[in-house]
Amino acid sequence: MGLGKSIPEITQSLAEETQLAGARVVVSARTYADFTPQATFDIKATLTREEGLQYYRTMQTVRRMELKADQLYKQKIIRGFCHLYDGQEACAVGIESGINLSDHLITAYRAHGYTMTRGGTVREIMAELTGVALACKYQGKNELCVCLYGDGAANQGQIFETYNMASLWKLPCIFICENNKYGMGTSVERAAASTDYYKRGDFIPGLRVDGMDVLCVREATKFAADHCRSGKGPILMELQTYRYHGHSMSDPGISYRTREEIQEVRSKSDPISMLKDRMLSNNMASVEELKFATTDPEPPLDDLCNHIFYNEPPLEVRGTNPWSKLKSVS
């Protein structure tokens, strides 16, 4: 993680706050009871066996969901705009594991992963970018707001207006730029005079984080959350990540980058493979445990229209033709 120049003293503070206990290594027969319950890695982050399995399953679920969405889109079963999240799973899972579910999170349009980590629920109120953070401070609930955007949106003027207001009012807001290297089909080097997105806040402290490593994201998010909850105002994080698919399903994703570039990231920095290797090398799980089931049945058609509205009585929904009727249950 790198740090913006605005508050260099955070460097020492972060190092002190992330010094965690050492690992216990068990070498014996591979039964459930003998798996290592906890391990400490070179990024000064401790991972329990239960956390690792939870993170792995969530990231695998998002990955499989996105690959299935890709398939269904190509079959013209899913239509319209479709922005996939595969490759960036460590960002969503790491952020969510560093904050509380009672905190607030505003996504950009590439939001499938966050919909999963938030429990699949829809936000009750669509708010302006700083509106939720202002409410958090005003109501004094010790909650914070996470605002996400991509490297493409990072060059837009309203972001800097929001930085100013959030800093002026010391709002508990974590601004997170998910830098996946390309704004639509344009590389960050061609779009931005400075690609140090974590320094864009100027008067707001910033962290640069390995967005392909779920533990790095988690620890940085915890630090940022503590910063906000202590009344110090907003903080900015740049997650350096990578998307495997194009910008949307209409973009093949290989006209502005090579297949070899994508494959190199997959082979060296894949977030799921990285977590899997850590858990296996530290005897925290077995290969069989980490095999992802692909035989689960599809949900029934009756579930298709549920939760269209929040906390409303059941209502009838038209299906694919006027004679097909479904029911929506909140």
Side-chain angles (χ1 to χ4, degrees), residues 108-149:
Y109 49 78
R110 199 179 304 278
H112 299 171
Y114 295 97
T115 304
M116 176 70 68
T117 59
R118 288 265 110 183
T121 59
V122 179
R123 297 292 303 161
E124 295 180 21
I125 301 172
M126 296 297 290
E128 292 290 334
L129 199 58
T130 59
V132 175
L134 179 60
C136 290
K137 181 174 182 178
Y138 183 78
Q139 295 174 358
K141 293 183 178 179
N142 199 32
E143 296 174 352
L144 56 84
C145 180
V146 177
C147 296
L148 295 126
Y149 54 96

Side-chain angles (χ1 to χ4, degrees), residues 7 50 62 70 97 109 119 126 141 144 150 172-173 177-178 185 225 266 276 285 288 316 329:
I7 55 165
E50 290 72 22
V62 173
D70 169 66
S97 59
Y109 49 78
M126 296 297 290
K141 293 183 178 179
L144 56 84
C173 185
C177 175
E178 288 186 275
R266 281 183 179 273
K276 177 181 178 181
E288 293 73 24
E316 194 173 75
V329 179

Side-chain angles (χ1 to χ4, degrees), residues 154-173:
N155 297 320
Q156 297 178 8
Q158 64 264 34
I159 294 252
F160 297 91
E161 295 176 22
T162 307
Y163 289 164
N164 181 63
M165 296 303 293
S167 183
L168 189 65
W169 294 341
K170 290 193 177 300
L171 301 183
C173 185

Side-chain angles (χ1 to χ4, degrees), residues 178-198:
E178 288 186 275
N179 177 9
N180 61 23
K181 313 301 181 187
Y182 295 93
M184 299 186 75
T186 306
S187 67
V188 294
E189 292 79 12
R190 293 178 56 213
S194 170
T195 58
D196 291 336
Y197 296 103
Y198 69 107

